Amino acid sequence: MMNLTPTLQDCELLDAQDPLRDLRDQFDLPPGVIYLDGNSLGVLPKTAPARVAHAVTHEWGTDLIKSWNTAGWFTLPQRVGDKIARVIGAQPGEVVAADSTSINLFKVLAAALHIAQADHPHKTKIVSERSNFPTDLYIAEALCKERGYTLQLVEADEIAAALQADVAVLMLTHVNYRTGAMHNMQAVTAQAHAQGIITVWDLAHSAGAVPVDLNGSGADFAVGCGYKYLNGGPGAPAFVWVHPQHTDRFWQPLAGWWGHAAPFAFTPDYQPAAGITRYQCGTQPILSLTALDCGLDAFLAAEALGGMTALRQKSLALTGLFMQLVRTRLHGHGFGIATPTQEDERGSQVSLTRAEGAYAIVQALIARGVIGDFRAGDGGQHPDILRFGFTPLYVGYADVWQAAEHLHQVMQSGEWQDARFAQKNAVT
Ligand SMILES: *Cc1c(COP(=O)(O)O)cnc(C)c1O
């Protein structure tokens, strides 16, 4: 099948033989939709409506404040964190689910700068990628201003050369949100450590998408998103991981009472809790954490079928299939592939480029029920992107084929040029 254009029948056969295919039954997928945006907002786990309704009507409605103890609300950030730890190569007790990715990034970057300041006071820089997700760059820029550091932005192929002795922190997103290009966490971390540089990894497009081994990679700090591949629902809490050797060295700067060693002692002075708990700030969103917990149960169900390793195998097959269809079925429509074809260099998405019309083409696809998204370029080195996320928990091979077929029809018919598809919404 490698050189021929795969047929729908080929793909249906792959689905029939897919050992992971029943995992899809854990999710409520709307009929007639091919959902290729699980990298932006994952789908609804079937258990979530009842679990959240129970938390609302019973735990909140009936048991009221007792539920902090009786329903385990108080420890939910740790318990959800322990489930996340299983998919990112961390140990129980090393991860907490809390706040947003942006906020957690602020905490860990501040911690990393503090440690750098103590160990290497001459260092003056944070290095990151110019095409990193903007919030990561904004948070780093703000902290640099506050702490007197400089943010140096480079392209991916310039990172190694940028790891000089004056660099305190290397802050990278493991899988690039635009292109899907994936860094080798272990190799980059080793290069950074050789120069005494602390690494901060954003796992927004990695957690639940690709196998991550934080401890095995020797990473220092990591944050990530709950509402993308982890299927935690809109605005789901994010997570934070800190290597145990660093956790107790620093008070993170948002030292709220939930990070206190004894929050209900109500002492006027701050005593940080031991371990990752100190990375909590204030009261956490219990209803959202409950929904995220349901999303993580889907990964626990996948463990019996080979877990992240098996999911990765399927993810690579899905993204590989889509790229093959772009090269064959979609040949002549002007698409480029921005995602690395090399398997160990990509995450679980495929990003296409086109000289014009990327936004309108994505809108025309959405009108047909094929949901991907558009990511604007900068008019220069980074072009506009049509982005398709392939979530192996619930996307099948026939879905990939149908998506490519719809894209072919959108181009062949010229329907993407309809004026209604040029209308930009607030969220793209
Ligand atoms: C999605 C994403 C975020 C989102 O941050 P929020 O605080 O949840 O809005 C941050 N960083 C990266 C790399 C992302 O892909």
Side-chain angles (χ1 to χ4, degrees):
M1 162 175 141
M2 279 322 286
N3 296 313
L4 299 170
T5 306
T7 64
L8 178 57
Q9 288 70 29
D10 293 334
C11 293
E12 285 170 346
L13 188 62
L14 289 171
D15 280 330
Q17 296 167 341
D18 173 13
L20 304 181
R21 78 179 175 269
D22 291 342
L23 292 171
R24 179 187 184 109
D25 297 337
Q26 301 183 97
F27 300 98
D28 216 345
L29 295 159
V33 166
I34 297 175
Y35 195 65
L36 305 180
D37 219 345
N39 51 327
S40 244
L41 175 65
V43 298
L44 175 66
K46 277 185 185 157
T47 53
R51 280 275 309 277
V52 174
H54 180 81
V56 171
T57 57
H58 181 78
E59 296 173 6
W60 177 17
T62 305
D63 290 351
L64 289 162
I65 197 154
K66 289 178 286 182
S67 286
W68 285 108
N69 294 309
T70 57
W73 286 355
F74 192 63
T75 55
L76 193 52
Q78 281 76 18
R79 287 185 289 119
V80 172
D82 284 349
K83 289 185 184 177
I84 294 171
R86 298 171 81 108
V87 295
I88 58 173
Q91 292 299 309
E94 291 180 0
V95 178
V96 73
D99 303 324
S100 68
T101 304
S102 306
I103 292 172
N104 288 334
L105 196 58
F106 180 83
K107 298 172 198 167
V108 300
L109 262 184
L113 288 180
H114 176 90
I115 291 169
Q117 180 84 57
D119 295 352
H120 304 285
H122 61 281
K123 288 175 177 278
T124 57
K125 280 185 192 163
I126 296 179
V127 166
S128 192
E129 257 183 278
R130 188 168 291 113
S131 71
N132 199 346
F133 191 81
T135 204
D136 299 49
L137 300 182
Y138 304 158
I139 295 282
E141 188 181 348
L143 254 175
C144 280
K145 271 175 90 165
E146 205 152 288
R147 305 283 296 273
Y149 283 77
T150 307
L151 178 61
Q152 181 187 352
L153 300 184
V154 299
E155 300 300 329
D157 59 2
E158 298 166 344
I159 293 171
L163 299 178
Q164 299 295 325
D166 59 349
V167 177
V169 177
L170 173 65
M171 176 189 78
L172 291 177
T173 295
H174 182 223
V175 174
N176 187 282
Y177 82 106
R178 290 171 45 79
T179 62
M182 181 167 73
H183 290 293
N184 182 329
M185 185 182 287
Q186 186 162 11
V188 175
T189 299
Q191 282 171 1
H193 285 176
Q195 297 289 343
I197 299 167
I198 296 170
T199 57
V200 171
W201 293 94
D202 189 330
L203 305 179
H205 293 279
S206 311
V210 299
V212 175
D213 186 5
L214 286 172
N215 279 308
S217 302
D220 297 292
F221 295 90
V223 299
C225 226
Y227 51 79
K228 293 173 178 165
Y229 289 94
L230 299 182
N231 305 308
F239 63 87
V240 52
W241 171 84
V242 177
H243 191 287
Q245 71 175 342
H246 300 311
T247 323
D248 292 340
R249 282 195 66 185
F250 177 58
W251 295 12
Q252 57 92 1
L254 304 177
W257 72 309
W258 272 49
H260 194 282
F264 289 90
F266 296 110
T267 57
D269 62 315
Y270 185 73
Q271 276 302 329
I276 196 67
T277 297
R278 70 176 57 190
Y279 278 80
Q280 297 186 136
C281 179
T283 309
Q284 292 302 313
I286 297 302
L287 302 179
S288 290
L289 277 165
T290 301
L292 174 57
D293 197 34
C294 297
L296 288 157
D297 287 340
F299 284 94
L300 300 193
E303 284 183 353
L305 300 168
M308 281 312 303
T309 307
L311 288 167
R312 173 63 168 166
Q313 232 171 19
K314 180 175 172 186
S315 152
L316 285 171
L318 294 173
T319 51
L321 171 65
F322 189 68
M323 289 197 258
Q324 190 185 0
L325 288 164
V326 170
R327 285 190 291 261
T328 54
R329 183 81 180 116
L330 291 166
H331 183 76
H333 290 310
F335 291 110
I337 299 177
T339 302
T341 48
Q342 188 76 21
E343 292 197 338
D344 58 359
E345 292 177 8
R346 70 174 186 261
S348 199
Q349 71 186 58
V350 175
S351 298
L352 303 183
T353 57
R354 195 171 186 278
E356 56 160 349
Y359 180 80
I361 294 165
V362 169
Q363 300 314 305
L365 275 176
I366 292 172
R368 285 168 166 262
V370 179
I371 304 182
D373 57 24
F374 163 81
R375 286 292 173 262
D378 59 5
Q381 191 165 359
H382 304 112
D384 286 354
I385 295 275
L386 302 87
R387 188 176 71 162
F388 303 98
F390 296 90
T391 312
L393 281 174
Y394 54 78
V395 173
Y397 297 91
D399 295 327
V400 174
W401 192 93
Q402 299 283 10
E405 179 58 23
H406 279 291
L407 184 49
H408 171 70
Q409 289 175 18
V410 159
M411 303 313 296
Q412 192 72 15
S413 65
E415 73 192 50
W416 63 277
Q417 285 159 312
D418 191 302
R420 76 194 153 114
F421 296 135
Q423 188 79 35
K424 284 231 167 114
N425 294 315
V427 176
T428 60

